[in-house]
C-alpha cells in the first residue's frame, strides 16, 4: 500500500526491481507485509508506526485490516521512522514488554 505521489513512484520502482530479480534469479518476490500478517494468524503482531511520518498510520491501518483480531497498532506520538524507542522510551518499553508478556501465554 502506497500513499501520495512518492508512494506511486516507489511502487513502480518496487515492481521493476522485483520483476528484474524474478527474471534473473530463481528467487520469488517476497510476500507483502499485509499478506505476511494475515498468514501469521493466530500469532499476535505488534506494529509500531511513527506519528510524524504521514503514511505510517495509514499503512498500519492497512496491515491491521488483514487480521484485526491479531494485530495491535501503536502510533508513536512525536516519532519519526524507526525512532519510537528514542522518542517515547518509557512508553515503548511498557508497550513492547506488555505485548511480549501477553504473547508468551
Amino acid at each position: 500500500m502506497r500513499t501520495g505521489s512518492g508512494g506511486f513512484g516507489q511502487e513502480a520502482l518496487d515492481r521493476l526491481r522485483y520483476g528484474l530479480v524474478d527474471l534473473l534469479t530463481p528467487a520469488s518476490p517476497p510476500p507483502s507485509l499485509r499478506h505476511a500478517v494475515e498468514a501469521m494468524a493466530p500469532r499476535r503482531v505488534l506494529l509500531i508506526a511513527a506519528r510524524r511520518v504521514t503514511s505510517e498510520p495509514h499503512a498500519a491501518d492497512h496491515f491491521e485490516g488483514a487480521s484485526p483480531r491479531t494485530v495491535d497498532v501503536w502510533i508513536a506520538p512525536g516519532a519519526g521512522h524507526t525512532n519510537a524507542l528514542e522518542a517515547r522510551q518509557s512508553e515503548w518499553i511498557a508497550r513492547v514488554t506488555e505485548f511480549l508478556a501477553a504473547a508468551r501465554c
Side-chain angles (χ1 to χ4, degrees):
M1 181 206 157
R2 308 283 187 193
T3 60
S5 60
F8 292 116
Q10 184 63 51
E11 188 169 349
L13 286 173
D14 287 348
R15 287 180 190 215
L16 176 62
R17 178 184 314 124
Y18 293 136
L20 287 172
V21 168
D22 206 27
L23 287 173
L24 299 173
T25 72
S28 297
S32 69
L33 183 53
R34 183 179 168 97
H35 183 284
V37 164
E38 185 177 30
M40 289 174 60
R43 288 175 220 79
R44 303 220 37 98
V45 175
L46 173 62
L47 295 175
I48 300 173
R51 172 66 69 199
R52 288 186 13 222
V53 180
T54 307
S55 62
E56 286 197 19
H58 299 293
D61 288 343
H62 177 71
F63 301 138
E64 182 182 28
S67 187
R69 295 176 58 193
T70 63
V71 176
D72 297 321
V73 174
W74 174 43
I75 310 298
H81 185 65
T82 73
N83 88 328
L85 175 58
E86 181 182 338
R88 307 291 283 208
Q89 185 177 20
S90 59
E91 190 172 2
W92 187 98
I93 291 169
R95 287 178 179 270
V96 171
T97 302
E98 289 171 16
F99 174 81
L100 293 174
R104 190 168 180 226
C105 297

